[in-house]
């Protein structure tokens, strides 16, 4: 598909020492749902605001549908933005809020009403046309803000932490609804969030940002299964990190020594014997072994904590150097295998070689 947004070496420097965005190049395809993910201060919102024209870049270029819009104001770009606080006019009805932009374009009143009703129908609120924002729930106000943004059919919809003001249950519901809305309208969505679950659930592609730069981008599953750095591994999902040393290595695999035993690891690059490394693996891909159960790729420790979280149980296992490993199991599976242990008991945990990440150097816990 053709690129709808092209960012070329885009930077935003607030001073010689304060850099918001640092030399970012990114292409977004027409109709794609892309999420900019990262912690506060990583540059994701600044990047979004530059795409929307709300901030001017220090260096670089922004192209929208092959046209250079780097210095165009927001109203000259075929984009709309949904803000974190919704920014609805309290003195206007829902219908008037949605039709406001159409009115400014000079559209007739009947056409405004028709277009506003169509947009409200898309978000499931056609029956709230004549109500005011203060008569709506938080989730409904969010939908109105979305309807107002899509009514003019922009080429790109920008969403700045759109679900952050909602409670947990409504937030989960809106994640699915927002993805369905994207599928219905077919326009490009670019969303900013610090919530990894939102990014994984909703996106076609995730761009993880770190200190103003792109740390890694790709499909959600690719980033989850193949993080290129400890930063990405730790930000997308929970990761166990274990200090290790390479004991032996071939082209395809290595034996890695840790304080809790040795593990076999598959390699996608050469590693040197004696090199200090860090192993990474996901709690849900780590298995607690029942007493007496044999496994080749296992580490030994003792149970430091057992956490029950509804459907499952997380066991914290402390190894000899004080590192803690987390093992996640569905509660029914753990009970069936008798692997819900008591604090203080010895435990061995197994992880398959293909589920282990290998990073250079030692990663701080």
């Amino acid at each position: 598909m053709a690129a709808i947004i092209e960012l070329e070496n885009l930077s935003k420097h607030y001073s010689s020492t304060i850099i918001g965005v640092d030399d970012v190049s990114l292409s977004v395809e027409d109709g794609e749902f892309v999420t900019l993910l990262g912690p506060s201060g990583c540059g994701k919102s600044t990047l979004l605001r530059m795409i929307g024209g709300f901030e001017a870049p220090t260096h670089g270029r922004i192209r929208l549908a092959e046209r250079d819009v780097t210095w165009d104001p927001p109203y000259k770009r075929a984009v709309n933005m949904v803000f974190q606080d919704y920014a609805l006019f309290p003195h206007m009805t829902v219908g008037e809020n949605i039709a406001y932009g159409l009115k400014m374009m000079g559209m007739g009143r009947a056409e405004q009403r028709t277009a506003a009703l169509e947009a409200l129908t898309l978000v499931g609120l056609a029956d709230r046309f004549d109500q005011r924002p203060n008569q709506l729930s938080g989730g409904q106000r969010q939908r109105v803000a979305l309807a107002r943004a899509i009514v003019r059919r922009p080429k790109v919809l920008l969403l700045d932490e759109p679900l952050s003001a909602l409670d947990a249950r409504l937030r989960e519901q809106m994640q699915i609804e927002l993805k369905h809305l994207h599928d219905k309208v077919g326009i490009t969505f670019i969303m900013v969030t610090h919530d990894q679950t939102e990014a994984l659930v909703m996106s076609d592609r995730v761009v993880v940002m770190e200190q103003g730069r792109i740390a890694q981008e790709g499909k959600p599953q690719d980033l989850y299964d193949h993080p290129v750095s400890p930063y990405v591994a730790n930000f997308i999902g929970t990761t166990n990190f274990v200090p290790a040393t390479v004991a032996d290595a071939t082209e395809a695999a290595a034996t890695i020594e840790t304080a809790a035993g040795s593990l076999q690891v598959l390699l996608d690059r050469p590693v040197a014997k004696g090199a200090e490394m860090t192993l990474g693996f996901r709690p849900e891909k780590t298995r607690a072994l029942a007493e007496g159960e044999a496994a080749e790729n296992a580490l030994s420790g003792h149970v430091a904590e057992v956490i029950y979280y509804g459907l499952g149980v997380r066991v914290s296992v402390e190894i000899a150097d004080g590192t803690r490993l987390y093992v996640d199991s569905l509660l029914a599976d753990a009970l069936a295998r008798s692997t819900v242990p008591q604090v203080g008991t010895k435990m061995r945990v197994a992880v398959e070689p293909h589920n282990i990440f290998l990073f250079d150097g030692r990663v701080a816990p």
Side-chain angles (χ1 to χ4, degrees), residues 78-142:
V79 303
N80 258 348
M81 191 158 181
V82 177
F83 295 94
Q84 189 172 337
D85 61 357
Y86 315 144
L88 301 177
F89 298 117
H91 62 286
M92 293 184 181
T93 65
V94 166
E96 289 168 343
N97 263 283
I98 294 171
Y100 182 77
L102 304 177
K103 181 180 178 181
M104 293 298 100
M105 292 170 55
M107 182 181 287
R109 185 173 296 179
E111 294 166 299
Q112 291 175 36
R113 182 179 179 85
T114 298
L117 274 172
E118 288 177 354
L120 269 179
T121 300
L122 276 173
V123 298
L125 290 177
D127 59 336
R128 305 301 174 112
F129 190 89
D130 295 316
Q131 292 188 348
R132 295 189 185 276
N134 64 3
Q135 296 175 283
L136 305 179
S137 68
Q140 290 169 335
R141 287 195 294 273
Q142 177 65 76

Side-chain angles (χ1 to χ4, degrees), residues 188-206:
T188 305
F189 280 24
I190 303 178
M191 182 180 75
V192 157
T193 185
H194 63 272
D195 187 304
Q196 57 176 275
T197 301
E198 282 183 14
L200 295 175
V201 167
M202 300 163 65
S203 314
D204 298 320
R205 184 156 52 108
V206 177

Side-chain angles (χ1 to χ4, degrees), residues 157-172:
L157 184 62
L158 307 177
L159 303 112
D160 188 8
E161 300 273 6
L163 309 182
S164 62
L166 305 180
D167 61 48
R169 185 171 181 176
L170 185 55
R171 190 169 183 154
E172 289 181 5

Side-chain angles (χ1 to χ4, degrees), residues 10-14 21 46-47 49-60 62 69-74 77:
L10 203 64
S11 296
K12 178 65 176 181
H13 295 187
Y14 295 100
V21 173
T46 301
L47 187 59
R49 291 178 64 82
M50 286 194 288
I51 295 171
F54 298 98
E55 290 211 31
T58 307
H59 306 289
I62 303 169
V69 297
T70 308
W71 307 112
D72 287 356
R77 305 185 187 203

Side-chain angles (χ1 to χ4, degrees), residues 285-316:
K285 294 185 178 180
T286 309
R287 186 166 60 88
L289 298 175
E291 186 175 353
E293 183 178 356
E296 292 183 359
N297 240 37
L299 301 176
S300 300
H302 69 271
V303 177
E305 190 176 15
V306 179
I307 304 166
Y308 166 72
Y309 59 92
L311 287 176
V313 62
R314 169 168 288 184
V315 179
S316 172

Side-chain angles (χ1 to χ4, degrees), residues 194-237:
H194 63 272
D195 187 304
Q196 57 176 275
T197 301
E198 282 183 14
L200 295 175
V201 167
M202 300 163 65
S203 314
D204 298 320
R205 184 156 52 108
V206 177
V207 178
V208 182
M209 296 196 65
E210 178 183 16
Q211 297 181 346
R213 289 178 170 267
I214 295 175
Q216 187 176 355
E217 63 171 290
K219 294 180 180 179
Q221 186 172 350
D222 290 341
L223 267 63
Y224 192 85
D225 290 339
H226 306 288
V228 298
S229 69
Y231 173 84
V232 175
N234 210 27
F235 202 84
I236 297 186

